[in-house]
Amino acid sequence: MALPHQESQSRLLTDGESSAGTDEESSADESHKERIDRELSELLQGLRVMVTGVQVLFAFLLAMPFQTGFAKLDTSGHWLFFIALTGAATASLCFTTPAVQHRLLFRTGLKEKIVHRANELGLAGAVSLGVAITAAMALVAEVVLGNWLAIVFGAAAALATSWLWLLQPIIDLRRQATANRQQTTGSKD
């Protein structure tokens, strides 16, 4: 998965535009094809990292119903389990789809479409993984500590995920946009 500033630039560009000169990692002589190749490589590498984490969580959740203590869960525990399982399954699907589509669309001239779709799927997978982490944390807290503390720990997981994965990058993007506007208006004066 690309860094937030790289993702935002990819989202802001239309299909015909080039980010050469806007991406601090790209050089002035990077061709459109080279940029797309680099972006695909970065996205696939980031998704590989995310896939490992979601696979561990998904495997743990898949094994849970077969444990002897699972039957002792109350209705809220079963719902938390099902939400976590669904989130992990959705995240796994989102994180693996770009690699599968890349294989299916290999040498078709659709690499740029794959890059944009992989970025969207990576973001959807991250949201699903955040839901899975939150529900899994609440489920474990409910079993170990009780219902009231399950809400506290679930909320803490949701807040941490929202802050680290969403709010911090949005704040960074806004600060960068403000700095760019100030730089642009300062150079016009």
Side-chain angles (χ1 to χ4, degrees), residues 12 30 34 50 58 65 73 76 78 81-82 103-104 136 140 148 158-159 161 169 175 182 185:
L12 295 175
E30 182 180 46
E34 290 169 334
M50 299 291 282
F58 194 36
L73 287 178
S76 63
H78 284 127
F81 165 76
F82 187 73
R103 291 293 86 209
L104 290 171
V140 171
W148 186 83
L159 288 173
T161 302
R175 285 181 180 160
Q182 289 174 349
T185 57

Side-chain angles (χ1 to χ4, degrees), residues 6 12-14 19 22 27 31 82 106 123-125 134 165 171 189:
Q6 294 164 328
L12 295 175
L13 295 173
T14 60
S19 68
T22 60
S27 63
S31 72
F82 187 73
F106 187 65
L123 293 172
T134 299
W165 291 1
I171 290 168
D189 292 339

Side-chain angles (χ1 to χ4, degrees), residues 3-173:
L3 297 173
H5 72 277
Q6 294 164 328
E7 290 176 354
S8 67
Q9 289 173 352
S10 294
R11 284 193 304 264
L12 295 175
L13 295 173
T14 60
D15 288 338
E17 293 178 310
S18 171
S19 68
T22 60
D23 191 347
E24 60 212 18
E25 292 181 11
S26 67
S27 63
D29 58 10
E30 182 180 46
S31 72
H32 181 74
K33 182 186 178 316
E34 290 169 334
R35 178 181 59 86
I36 297 300
D37 288 345
R38 177 181 50 79
E39 288 178 353
L40 180 61
S41 176
E42 290 171 357
L43 276 167
L44 291 177
Q45 182 167 340
L47 291 173
R48 281 186 204 104
V49 171
M50 299 291 282
V51 148
T52 303
V54 80
Q55 284 176 335
V56 169
L57 178 59
F58 194 36
F60 164 75
L61 291 168
L62 286 174
M64 262 187 81
F66 304 104
Q67 303 302 313
T68 55
F70 187 78
K72 296 177 188 175
L73 287 178
D74 61 6
T75 302
S76 63
H78 284 127
W79 275 107
L80 286 171
F81 165 76
F82 187 73
I83 291 167
L85 182 68
T86 301
T90 303
S92 182
L93 185 64
C94 288
F95 293 148
T96 56
T97 295
V100 173
Q101 288 189 2
H102 180 250
R103 291 293 86 209
L104 290 171
L105 299 173
F106 187 65
R107 294 189 178 167
T108 61
L110 295 172
K111 191 178 286 187
E112 189 165 6
K113 183 170 217 49
I114 294 169
V115 168
H116 289 284
R117 189 175 290 151
N119 185 55
E120 292 167 354
L121 286 165
L123 293 172
V127 169
S128 298
L129 181 56
V131 168
I133 289 170
T134 299
M137 184 70 176
L139 174 60
V140 171
E142 180 187 25
V143 170
V144 176
L145 303 170
N147 285 336
W148 186 83
L149 288 172
I151 294 169
V152 171
F153 282 96
L159 288 173
T161 302
S162 297
W163 172 252
L164 294 170
W165 291 1
L166 181 65
L167 297 175
Q168 272 188 333
I170 288 172
I171 290 168
D172 291 341
L173 288 171

